[in-house]
């Protein structure tokens, strides 16, 4: 079991234990059809306590007006994530909250290394600052007259005072790097905090409050599971998808023994 995206060093959330997977064919008593049941050994890390919304970005069009129209969604979602982290990680300093925000959004993995280099934080913060500046100009000038809007960005917006192509190039490179870093990993996911241990992470967009965060033995990443029906007094689970749990991606959560169990997947 591997996680995506495939960048840098692989995660090792459950790889310290040998994978234990078995499959069984059972007969459905109602229609007599064969049903495949899969059992996977692992352990529960925690339950989902609270979630952010899903950021829905508009990348269907390359037109400037369409890209600019998605700015409010991007700005609003980043603010939601910032407020979310501030609320649930109040014991952290502001700089610690800022760092954990971008590390979670990039899955704390670089193109060649784990953990992500601090330069990722710089690119990410540049992107956020530029988006806020662009949004302020768009609010004042609208998107109908693009030449006028572009001039306003140079005169009053985040590009104010940048008279050379080199200046603009530096900002553009930071934005491209920052955008590529968070977007390739984070969307269309959500940020989540867990119930008992307050783990922070990224989860699939279909995740709900009360879903389980689980480590499967042999898996590189944790998974979100949802409790399903009980059959013959055995709880069955639906796999919602893989996830990133900050601080738990290198085997730190593996306990085993009394904590481990078999998960029957339907």
């Amino acid at each position: 079991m591997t996680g995506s995206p495939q960048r840098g060093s692989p995660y090792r959330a459950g790889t310290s234990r040998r994978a234990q997977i078995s499959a069984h064919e059972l007969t459905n008593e109602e229609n007599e059809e064969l049903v495949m049941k899969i059992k996977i050994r692992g352990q529960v890390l925690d339950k989902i306590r609270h979630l952010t919304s899903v950021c829905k970005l508009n990348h269907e069009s390359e037109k400037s007006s369409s890209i600019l129209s998605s700015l409010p969604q991007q700005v609003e979602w980043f603010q939601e994530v910032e407020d979310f982290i501030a609320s649930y990680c109040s014991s952290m300093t502001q700089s610690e909250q800022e760092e954990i925000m971008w590390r979670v959004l990039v899955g704390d993995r670089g193109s060649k290394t784990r953990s992500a280099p601090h330069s990722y934080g710089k690119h990410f913060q540049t992107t956020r600052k530029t988006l806020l500046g662009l949004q302020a100009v768009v609010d004042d000038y609208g998107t109908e007259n693009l030449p006028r809007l572009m001039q306003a960005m140079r005169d009053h917006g985040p590009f104010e005072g940048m008279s050379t192509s080199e200046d603009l190039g530096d900002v553009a490179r930071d934005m491209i790097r920052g955008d590529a870093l968070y977007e390739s990993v984070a969307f269309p996911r959500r940020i989540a905090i867990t119930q008992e241990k307050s783990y922070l992470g990224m989860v699939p967009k279909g995740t709900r409050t009360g879903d389980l965060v689980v480590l499967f033995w042999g898996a590189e990443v944790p998974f979100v599971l949802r409790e399903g029906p009980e059959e013959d007094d055995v709880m069955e689970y639906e796999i919602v998808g893989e996830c990133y749990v900050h601080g738990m991606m290198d085997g730190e959560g593996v306990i085993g023994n009394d904590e481990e169990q078999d998960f029957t997947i339907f």
Side-chain angles (χ1 to χ4, degrees):
M1 295 179 186
T2 60
S4 62
Q6 295 299 315
R7 300 185 300 127
S9 302
Y11 296 123
R12 303 183 298 273
T15 58
S16 64
R17 299 290 300 273
R18 184 187 296 272
Q20 298 181 42
I21 304 174
S22 60
H24 305 275
E25 281 189 346
L26 302 174
T27 301
N28 187 314
E29 295 181 356
E30 294 182 0
N31 53 28
E32 298 186 351
E33 291 183 354
L34 289 178
V35 179
M36 181 68 72
K37 300 290 184 179
I38 298 175
K39 286 185 179 181
I40 308 176
R41 194 73 171 170
Q43 71 178 64
V44 175
L45 278 178
D46 208 346
K47 283 188 175 183
I48 299 295
R49 175 185 177 190
H50 194 60
L51 298 147
T52 67
S53 64
V54 180
C55 187
K56 300 179 178 67
L57 301 182
N58 180 8
H59 292 299
E60 296 179 358
S61 173
E62 294 183 357
K63 294 181 179 180
S64 298
S65 56
S66 296
I67 295 171
L68 290 172
S69 66
S70 71
L71 273 174
Q73 294 173 312
Q74 296 183 59
V75 171
E76 181 179 352
W77 191 79
F78 281 124
Q79 187 60 56
E80 179 187 357
V81 173
E82 185 177 308
D83 293 342
F84 183 90
I85 291 175
S87 175
Y88 290 102
C89 304
S90 57
S91 61
M92 295 183 179
T93 65
Q94 183 175 348
S95 62
E96 289 172 335
Q97 290 176 9
E98 291 173 354
E99 180 171 357
I100 199 172
M101 177 176 174
W102 68 259
R103 286 196 180 276
V104 167
L105 287 174
V106 303
D108 201 19
R109 180 159 64 173
S111 60
K112 298 179 180 179
T113 62
R114 289 270 326 282
S115 301
H118 284 279
S119 60
Y120 279 28
K122 174 181 179 294
H123 300 317
F124 180 76
Q125 294 302 335
T126 298
T127 299
R128 284 205 67 200
K129 181 179 178 181
T130 305
L131 288 175
L132 287 169
L134 289 174
Q135 182 60 51
V137 176
V138 170
D139 288 343
D140 290 339
Y141 291 86
T143 59
E144 291 77 14
N145 189 331
L146 287 179
R148 178 170 174 263
L149 176 62
M150 297 305 292
Q151 186 59 50
M153 288 180 181
R154 288 178 176 270
D155 295 341
H156 311 293
F159 307 131
E160 181 180 0
M162 297 182 184
S163 57
T164 68
S165 58
E166 289 79 9
D167 291 336
L168 291 170
D170 287 342
V171 174
R173 278 189 292 273
D174 273 335
M175 284 195 68
I176 291 170
R177 289 167 180 162
D179 182 73
L181 290 174
Y182 70 73
E183 184 181 315
S184 63
V185 183
F187 300 110
R189 295 173 180 260
R190 312 167 78 175
I191 304 299
I193 193 84
T194 65
Q195 186 168 292
E196 295 183 5
K197 300 176 183 177
S198 296
Y199 294 140
L200 190 69
M202 284 190 304
V203 296
K205 64 180 181 180
T207 303
R208 301 172 187 168
T209 300
D211 285 345
L212 301 179
V213 180
V214 170
L215 282 178
F216 290 142
W217 298 159
E220 292 183 0
V221 297
F223 284 78
V224 175
L225 300 189
R226 181 166 301 143
E227 293 183 348
E230 281 192 32
E231 292 206 6
D232 298 326
D233 297 323
V234 176
M235 177 64 71
E236 297 187 347
Y237 300 88
E238 174 188 0
I239 295 180
V240 180
E242 62 188 39
C243 62
Y244 169 86
V245 182
H246 193 65
M248 291 289 117
M249 302 303 289
D250 291 301
E252 300 92 336
V254 175
I255 299 174
N257 299 324
D258 293 340
E259 299 294 329
E260 64 183 271
Q261 65 181 86
D262 288 322
F263 296 90
T264 300
I265 307 300
F266 69 91

